[in-house]
Amino acid sequence: MDLDQQAGATGLPAPGGGRVTMQQVAAEAGVSVSTVSKVLNGRYGVSPATSEHVMGVITRLGYEASLVARSLRNRRTNVIGVLVADFEPFSTEVLKGAADAIRGSGFELVAYSAGGRVDEHVGWERRYLSRVMGTLVDGAVLVTPTVTDVQYDGPVVAVDPHTGRSSLPTVAGDNLQGARLGVDHLLGLGHTRIGMVTGRPDLVSAQLRERGYREAHAAAGLVVDEDLLALGAFEAEQARVAAHHLLSLPDPPTAVFAANDRSALAVLEVAAERGLEVPGDLSVIGFDNVPESALSDPPLTTVEQPIRRMGHDAVALLLSLLDGDEAAATQLTLPTTLVTRRSTAAPSTSRD
């Protein structure tokens, strides 16, 4: 009995329900299970006519050998995993880019989610990788990971990496320059009280965006008022809390720089609930340029990082590593740009 048979060798769901098995293929083709296995594995002992007939039945029934059987037989699954904390706008765009990169590569893509808030699932990537690496996937891309490093039997690439020392290959946007672009835009409009809804403190991106916020103030000769920074953690609900706090201050900001678009959209919601006009009473700028940012009311001014390209380049890097290309660049930083829409304007003279 070969590895396909040992692993059960089940395939896709059969038209009548259940999953197509190698036994069903053999019965439909009128041959033995061992003959089907030989055809699948390209072994000798099967005539060209029989092989063609069996392959026709396999195609018609939609049979596909299980990933476990494939990995046991070839020591490769030709599957790449993308692990995300949740299926939100940022990770969805990363997945689109990953799909772009996988096309035509001979690999397949599977996505895994922690299913919620990362503060409740710290280290979830290690648990998932221990389950799937080597048997279900050959390598993985971690999106906004909660860990600094992982060691598994296969390459791993991080998108928007965790803080701390790490040997993981990474792909990220130019968060520092992007934050400076966003805050400089607000300063150029005349704002001097600029609030910030900060990001997830354990991510490099959040730290660099706050640093860019501070550097832009320093370059303009302004001292940062620490009361104008509130934790948003890249989460909509936490960003709402931060927005209410900032807008309830005795001397509230005339503009808010949010560390991501989810947070910026939450600020727009809170501003509307409090009867504030955007951008008349409050300017708001985000970071990411997810598709939803162009659809908000008003459309959101934001700093664009090429999220889809980040997903593409992360998978391209992973494929290179799987091919044994140790010379591939392993720390990629992609440019960020300002996208000006209608959520920012000069501060109202009545508030100055």
Side-chain angles (χ1 to χ4, degrees):
M1 182 177 291
D2 67 17
L3 292 173
D4 282 314
Q5 292 163 279
Q6 290 176 28
T10 57
L12 299 174
R19 297 176 69 84
V20 178
T21 66
M22 188 182 294
Q23 289 77 12
Q24 288 173 309
V25 172
E28 182 72 16
V31 299
S32 67
V33 172
S34 64
T35 297
V36 176
S37 178
K38 288 178 180 178
V39 171
L40 286 168
N41 295 317
R43 295 176 183 162
Y44 295 109
V46 182
S47 70
T50 300
S51 180
E52 183 178 351
H53 171 62
V54 171
M55 288 303 298
V57 173
I58 287 170
T59 300
R60 178 158 52 82
L61 294 183
Y63 171 82
E64 184 174 337
S66 72
L67 292 178
V68 173
R70 194 191 308 173
S71 67
L72 289 171
R73 184 176 67 247
N74 300 328
R75 298 187 181 277
R76 290 285 285 266
T77 65
N78 279 18
V79 176
I80 284 175
V82 180
L83 280 63
V84 301
D86 200 1
F87 292 115
E88 38 74 35
F90 178 86
S91 62
T92 300
E93 289 301 299
V94 171
L95 285 167
K96 290 177 183 177
D100 293 339
I102 214 76
R103 194 171 295 117
S105 69
F107 280 76
E108 298 173 9
L109 193 69
V110 62
Y112 300 87
S113 169
R117 294 177 58 90
V118 295
D119 57 356
E120 299 170 359
H121 302 278
V122 173
W124 69 273
E125 301 94 339
R126 290 196 180 101
R127 295 191 291 273
Y128 273 61
L129 286 174
S130 67
R131 296 171 191 165
V132 304
M133 188 69 85
T135 55
L136 296 180
V137 301
D138 296 326
V141 173
L142 308 183
V143 181
T144 60
T146 65
V147 293
T148 58
D149 232 333
V150 291
Q151 298 294 331
Y152 288 97
D153 295 331
V156 177
V157 175
V159 173
D160 196 354
H162 195 281
T163 59
R165 295 177 62 84
S166 174
S167 61
L168 289 181
T170 61
V171 178
D174 191 340
N175 294 288
L176 180 62
Q177 177 62 18
R180 292 197 59 163
L181 283 173
V183 178
D184 282 345
H185 170 69
L186 295 173
L187 291 168
L189 290 171
H191 294 278
T192 55
R193 285 192 63 76
I194 301 172
M196 181 176 182
V197 177
T198 61
R200 221 178 89 190
D202 62 318
L203 292 178
V204 173
S205 60
Q207 293 188 356
L208 289 176
R209 290 172 199 179
E210 181 176 335
R211 179 178 156 192
Y213 166 88
R214 293 179 180 278
E215 287 186 359
H217 278 78
L222 297 174
V223 176
V224 170
D225 181 346
E226 298 298 329
D227 289 340
L228 293 180
L229 283 84
L231 177 65
F234 290 155
E235 294 284 348
E237 285 306 310
Q238 182 61 40
R240 286 180 56 85
V241 173
H244 277 296
H245 167 73
L246 291 174
L247 298 178
S248 298
L249 291 172
D251 187 10
T254 62
V256 172
F257 168 55
N260 72 342
D261 284 349
R262 289 182 81 187
S263 299
L265 295 174
V267 175
L268 290 181
E269 291 176 359
V270 170
E273 292 168 7
R274 299 175 74 93
L276 297 176
E277 295 278 344
V278 175
D281 299 318
L282 179 73
S283 286
V284 180
I285 186 168
F287 199 114
D288 281 339
N289 196 28
V290 297
E292 291 82 350
S293 66
L295 304 176
S296 62
D297 183 20
L300 182 67
T301 295
T302 186
V303 176
E304 179 180 49
Q305 60 174 339
I307 307 172
R308 188 162 178 164
R309 183 181 161 195
M310 289 162 67
H312 175 281
D313 288 2
V315 169
L317 174 56
L318 187 62
L319 292 175
S320 295
L321 295 172
L322 284 168
D323 285 340
D325 183 7
E326 298 298 333
T330 56
Q331 307 293 327
L332 302 180
T333 302
L334 304 181
T336 47
T337 55
L338 179 68
V339 178
T340 305
R341 297 194 180 104
R342 297 205 301 275
S343 67
T344 53
S348 171
T349 54
S350 64
R351 295 190 57 184
D352 287 349

